[in-house]
Amino acid sequence: MRGQTRREFLVSIGATVLVARAISAEWPSAVRAATDEATEVLERINRWRGWAGLPPLIRHPALEAAAQAHAEYYRLNRGDPDLAGMGLHREKPGNPGFTGEDMLARARAQGYEGSVNENIGLTGSLSASVDAFLGTVNHRLPLLDPRYQHIGFGTVNKDTVRIEVLMVGTTTPWSEQASPDWVLWPIDGMTGVPTHFWGEAPNPFPGAQYPLGYPITAKYFGPGTVVFTHGELRHEGQPVPVHFATGSGWLTRRAAFLAATVPLTVGTSYQYVIEGAIDGQPFRLSGAFQTASRSGEPLTLGAPSLSLPLPPGLAGAPTAIQQRWLVIDGPVASGRRTGWVFGPDAWSVRWEPYADAPGGRRQVVYFDKARLELTNPHADPSSLWFVTSGLLVREMVLGQLQTGDVRFTPRAPADVPLAGDPAPLNPEAPTYASLRPHSTLVTGRPVPDRRGQPIIGILHRDGLVSEEPSRTQAGATYATADPVTGHNVASPFVEWFVTQPWDPLFIVGRPITEPCWVLVRLQGEVRWVLVQAFERRLLTYTPDNPESWRVEMGNVGRHYYEWRYGTPPPLN
């Protein structure tokens, strides 16, 4: 690995590198035949990764061979006193079964030319060891790292020798950054969470008296320098004493973790908060989970359904879309978060033509702020993109109704107000059509990098843009530039993204226009609003709103439905 010393690599016991690339077609036949347990364990790991919005891991024959060879080395040399603790990851030249001193050398010996890491368990069950890995800090991080793409298992369980070796790796170039920016565990809305943490090597909480409560981890994969400042755990609004730590080693840097000082209570709800700053800009991460009420209760995501009735409009939606709503908007419906991501309920479940879907059509579900789509029900359900969030804003701005992966029907851009009251009550408000001349998707020319400059551009209904220097008083600046679409992103939206538990690329998409100020009527009152169009959403920033409501998502689901079907959408 680049910039990594051998010592740093060996003490990590797990994790690093970049998002998966396509795997060659010959691999399935090349991989060693899976045991039933290994197959089930991989499905479980990929289910967890899917919940966190991560790509699935794929078994790789070289990692499989390296992991099994190290398990056999342990069997042949189990009397060696150095095979304990971190020494479990070492081999000695000249000993029976030697294939490499460290995990990287062992992977290279089997032909794997990439970055690797390794977890080792001694439970006698691969399934039990993987469950134990998830309940730790250091061993959890490699399982939930978006940059790993491959995995291999090695086991020995005979003649009183028990060992489970799990190797993960990637052949893509090393990078600190990946998508999504944040990986949190437990995920907001999770139930069946264990109550105890019995410790591990290396010890993430030096000086702690074990057992502790189940550990909470937050790892950052986005751009910039992250600093963690605070972590807390609450039950029924009351603080729970915790250990809070941040990592500095190869595995745990850019990560924070906290755990209650004593085991958690069974069948109990907890809420956590982790705070800090990225390049000086504050962020706040939060989530809630419920501990298992009985021994052996499985982890479940989408469990808000246990205490939150499914809204009636969602009853006819595909299960995968119901679960996506429960995970992301369930906490809003139950009052644990503010700000709808999709909306309080679906108001249209229908089939729409789509050339690349089975049978030439796909099932879609409309919400106030989005449309969720199930294009291929036979795809991998653990993938973040099994359910997609429609590119509605892109279609309305460009005037292109998408009916296939590369098939479009021309339409006039949407003549619908970007913000504020409906058109009859908001006649001067700029529309999606007003934005079209200013999108690089139309002009083909990237906008200059304006980072740090104040946003003073005002968009008018006729599509013209003027500048108003007094707008600097609102404090909005260009914060970052997207290298793909060539547009700058406004500081209020960048700051808001880092506080959200979901992947902005999935929910919002890339910017397709510059941020600009618009003058609109909101409940009859004239207001200044900063708007910016992204592929999937329109974001608004109203500086004189209460703080928690300054950044909002436009009702693009309703706007799009009216544009597409020429009729107002149904009322909720």
Side-chain angles (χ1 to χ4, degrees):
M1 288 186 174
R2 299 180 184 178
Q4 181 178 5
T5 67
R6 173 166 291 183
R7 182 177 183 278
E8 286 173 322
F9 189 85
L10 288 172
V11 299
S12 69
I13 325 183
T16 6
V17 187
L18 202 114
V19 86
R21 66 185 181 188
I23 306 302
S24 60
E26 67 269 21
W27 277 21
S29 60
V31 175
R32 177 174 59 85
T35 66
D36 288 344
E37 186 179 38
T39 301
E40 189 277 330
V41 163
L42 180 56
E43 290 175 353
R44 194 185 318 162
I45 292 171
N46 283 337
R47 187 182 316 126
W48 297 333
R49 288 174 64 91
W51 290 346
L54 311 179
L57 296 172
I58 298 173
R59 295 182 82 175
H60 192 290
L63 291 184
E64 202 93 329
Q68 188 61 39
H70 189 53
E72 293 293 340
Y73 174 90
Y74 178 84
R75 181 182 69 83
L76 296 170
N77 298 277
R78 62 189 181 278
D80 188 334
D82 291 335
L83 280 174
M86 294 306 299
L88 279 171
H89 299 273
R90 303 285 298 183
E91 292 185 7
K92 293 179 181 179
N95 276 5
F98 173 83
T99 56
E101 289 188 60
D102 57 44
M103 63 192 81
L104 186 59
R106 296 195 295 274
R108 293 286 186 272
Q110 302 297 336
Y112 190 82
E113 296 297 327
S115 302
V116 300
N117 230 313
E118 180 177 79
N119 283 350
I120 293 179
L122 301 171
T123 67
S125 163
L126 184 60
S127 179
S129 283
V130 167
D131 283 345
F133 295 157
L134 190 72
T136 64
V137 172
N138 297 291
H139 294 72
R140 172 191 298 168
L141 293 179
L143 298 181
L144 300 179
D145 192 309
R147 298 167 294 186
Y148 281 123
Q149 57 188 137
H150 308 140
I151 192 169
F153 302 104
T155 62
V156 170
N157 186 2
K158 64 179 182 179
D159 301 330
T160 72
V161 181
R162 298 181 179 88
I163 186 170
E164 300 80 43
V165 181
L166 182 155
M167 295 190 75
V168 288
T170 181
T171 54
T172 59
W174 166 252
S175 173
E176 287 279 4
Q177 296 182 26
S179 179
D181 286 355
W182 286 102
V183 176
L184 279 73
W185 198 271
I187 296 172
D188 190 27
M190 187 172 283
T191 63
V193 173
T195 57
H196 291 59
F197 173 39
W198 295 96
E200 63 182 326
N203 183 3
F205 300 106
Q209 201 69 27
Y210 286 92
L212 305 178
Y214 189 82
I216 298 155
T217 55
K219 182 152 184 176
Y220 182 61
F221 295 96
T225 300
V226 63
V227 176
F228 297 95
T229 58
H230 175 70
E232 66 181 55
L233 184 67
R234 291 181 174 270
H235 165 58
E236 295 184 348
Q238 299 301 309
V240 175
V242 297
H243 293 287
F244 178 65
T246 57
S248 58
W250 178 256
L251 173 67
T252 58
R253 65 189 182 198
R254 308 184 98 208
F257 22 97
L258 71 150
T261 56
V262 297
L264 303 177
T265 304
V266 298
T268 301
S269 295
Y270 292 89
Q271 302 79 43
Y272 64 85
V273 171
I274 296 175
E275 295 177 325
I278 300 170
D279 290 343
Q281 298 297 320
F283 68 82
R284 184 176 190 271
L285 309 171
S286 62
F289 63 88
Q290 184 171 313
T291 55
S293 58
R294 64 184 186 279
S295 177
E297 180 180 344
L299 281 170
T300 305
L301 188 60
S305 58
L306 297 179
S307 58
L308 180 70
L310 192 70
L314 270 167
T319 301
I321 290 179
Q322 293 175 348
Q323 292 294 78
R324 189 62 56 92
W325 182 91
L326 285 165
V327 169
I328 295 177
D329 267 350
V332 183
S334 62
R336 289 182 284 133
R337 292 183 64 89
T338 58
W340 295 106
V341 176
F342 303 119
D345 195 3
W347 39 262
S348 180
V349 179
R350 59 192 303 143
W351 293 88
E352 290 181 344
Y354 197 80
D356 297 280
R361 64 175 192 161
R362 64 180 177 184
Q363 198 165 15
V364 301
V365 179
Y366 281 92
F367 300 85
D368 288 351
K369 300 180 181 298
R371 180 186 69 195
L372 289 180
E373 308 150 345
L374 185 56
T375 300
N376 183 4
H378 309 300
D380 179 6
S382 68
S383 168
L384 173 64
W385 302 97
F386 180 66
V387 171
T388 51
S389 184
L391 301 165
L392 306 188
V393 177
R394 179 187 174 112
E395 292 184 41
M396 288 191 287
V397 169
L398 298 184
Q400 294 179 345
L401 189 68
Q402 187 165 11
T403 56
D405 290 351
V406 293
R407 184 175 294 184
F408 301 88
T409 301
R411 281 278 186 93
D415 190 27
V416 178
L418 296 171
D421 297 332
L425 304 175
N426 200 10
E428 300 302 318
T431 67
Y432 293 90
S434 308
L435 289 170
R436 189 178 189 280
H438 307 289
S439 175
T440 60
L441 301 180
V442 174
T443 67
R445 298 186 302 274
V447 175
D449 189 330
R450 297 168 173 162
R451 279 179 283 189
Q453 299 177 30
I455 301 172
I456 60 174
I458 297 174
L459 177 69
H460 302 276
R461 183 177 176 84
D462 59 8
L464 296 178
V465 173
S466 61
E467 292 188 346
E468 177 52 64
S470 65
R471 287 285 84 213
T472 59
Q473 299 172 6
T477 63
Y478 300 99
T480 189
D482 189 288
V484 176
T485 60
H487 279 292
N488 299 278
V489 183
S491 56
F493 304 140
V494 172
E495 293 163 7
W496 182 70
F497 285 149
V498 299
T499 69
Q500 303 306 308
W502 34 258
D503 181 358
L505 193 63
F506 173 80
I507 296 294
V508 176
R510 297 187 182 278
I512 59 173
T513 67
E514 293 293 283
C516 54
W517 293 98
V518 296
L519 201 57
V520 302
R521 290 187 178 275
L522 181 60
Q523 297 180 340
E525 181 184 350
V526 177
R527 305 279 293 276
W528 282 108
V529 179
L530 183 72
V531 301
Q532 184 161 16
F534 295 77
E535 292 171 305
R536 309 174 195 279
R537 301 300 179 97
L538 185 89
L539 297 187
T540 65
Y541 169 66
T542 310
D544 53 357
N545 271 359
E547 184 175 356
S548 60
W549 296 100
R550 288 176 185 165
V551 175
E552 298 180 85
M553 294 187 179
N555 288 328
V556 300
R558 290 190 165 273
H559 296 167
Y560 179 89
Y561 189 95
E562 181 177 352
W563 173 68
R564 178 166 182 149
Y565 293 104
T567 182
L571 296 175
N572 280 342

